[in-house]
Amino acid sequence: MKKIFCEANAKINLTFKILGKSNSGFHYINSIIQSINLTDYLIFEKSKKFQFTGNCISPLKENLILKAKKEMEKNLNRKFSFNVHLQKTIPISAGLGGGSSDAAGTIFAINKLFNLNLSKKKLAEIGFKVGCDVPFFIYGGKCKVEGFGEKITPLSLKNKSNFYLILRPHKRLETKKIYFLYDKTGKNFFEIASNLCPDIKLVYQDLLKFQPVEIGMSGSGPSLFAGFKNYKETLEAAEKFNNFNGDIYITKPTKNAII
C-alpha cells in the first residue's frame, strides 16, 4: 500500500469526572466519550523523506502528527518516510480532540502503509505516549475511558441521541490551563471554562429550552453539545442560534474515530 486517505473524527465527552491526581501530576479520570462525524481529512503517501502540507496550525515540532510519527519510530526502532496532507475541519482548543484524532490517524496510517500488522491494543499503547486522548481515538465509537486516558472499554450501549448540535464559542481554551485552574481552585471544568468564556453558561441555558435528551460541555470546553432524537429537532434548535458568535455543527455519532 502506497497511499491512504484517512478521516479523523472528533469526539464529545458525554460524561467527565476527575477522580484524583497522581504523584506524577497526571489526573485520574472517568469519562464516556463518543465519536462524531465532524472530521479532519488526512492523506498519507510513502515518500523518500517526510513532508507535511496543509493546515499546519502549530509549530511542526509541537504538532501531534509529527509526535505520533516519532513515537512509532521510537517504539519500533525504524524510520518511516511519507508525505502527509492535512485538511482541518475540527476547531482547535475546543474540547473536541482534533489534534489527538489526527495523531491517532497518523498511527493508524503508518500501521497500514508499512504493513506492520500491530494490534489495536499496541497502537493505543503507543498513542498514549503521544497524548492522553489518543488511545480513545484508536478505538473510537462509544467508550468508557479511565485511568489517565489509557484504559479503554468499548461500549455497546444504544445511543440516546441520533444527532448532536455542537456550538463552539470563538474562544480557545487550552486543556493544560483548565487542569491548572482545576488544581488551583477545585472548581469543575464547566465553572472554570464559563469564567473564561461567559458565553458557555448563556448558551447552555438556551440549549436547555429545547429539552435535549443529552447536554453538556465536551472536555475542557468551550464546545457545548445537545443531543436530539431526530434531525428536525436538531435543525430547529440550530436555527435559533443564528446570531451566535461561534461555530455551529450538526453531527451524528459514529462507530469509529478513524476511517
Side-chain angles (χ1 to χ4, degrees), residues 212-223:
V213 294
E214 295 176 279
I215 186 170
M217 185 182 79
S218 183
S220 56
S223 297

Side-chain angles (χ1 to χ4, degrees), residues 23 43 52 55 117 149 172 209 215 228 243 250 255:
N23 292 332
I43 299 174
F52 183 106
N55 303 95
N117 297 314
R172 293 178 181 176
K209 298 173 184 177
I215 186 170
F228 298 92
N243 293 320
I250 292 177
K255 293 181 180 180

Side-chain angles (χ1 to χ4, degrees), residues 10-18 29-34 36 91-98 100 132-133 136-137 145 166-169 171-179 182 187-194 196 200 204 215-226:
K11 58 84 176 172
I12 52 175
N13 297 79
L14 299 177
T15 66
F16 182 81
K17 293 180 181 179
I18 297 176
I29 66 164
N30 185 302
S31 183
I32 304 297
I33 306 182
Q34 173 67 60
I36 56 173
I92 65 172
S93 300
L96 299 173
S100 295
C132 294
D133 276 346
F136 163 75
F137 287 101
V145 179
I166 310 293
L167 293 105
R168 198 271 299 195
K171 175 74 174 180
R172 293 178 181 176
L173 297 181
E174 294 184 8
T175 301
K176 287 183 179 179
K177 182 175 182 179
I178 301 299
Y179 271 109
Y182 168 82
K187 295 180 179 180
N188 64 42
F189 276 18
F190 185 84
E191 291 180 278
I192 294 167
S194 295
L196 296 172
I200 291 173
Y204 185 88
I215 186 170
M217 185 182 79
S218 183
S220 56
S223 297
L224 295 151
F225 66 88

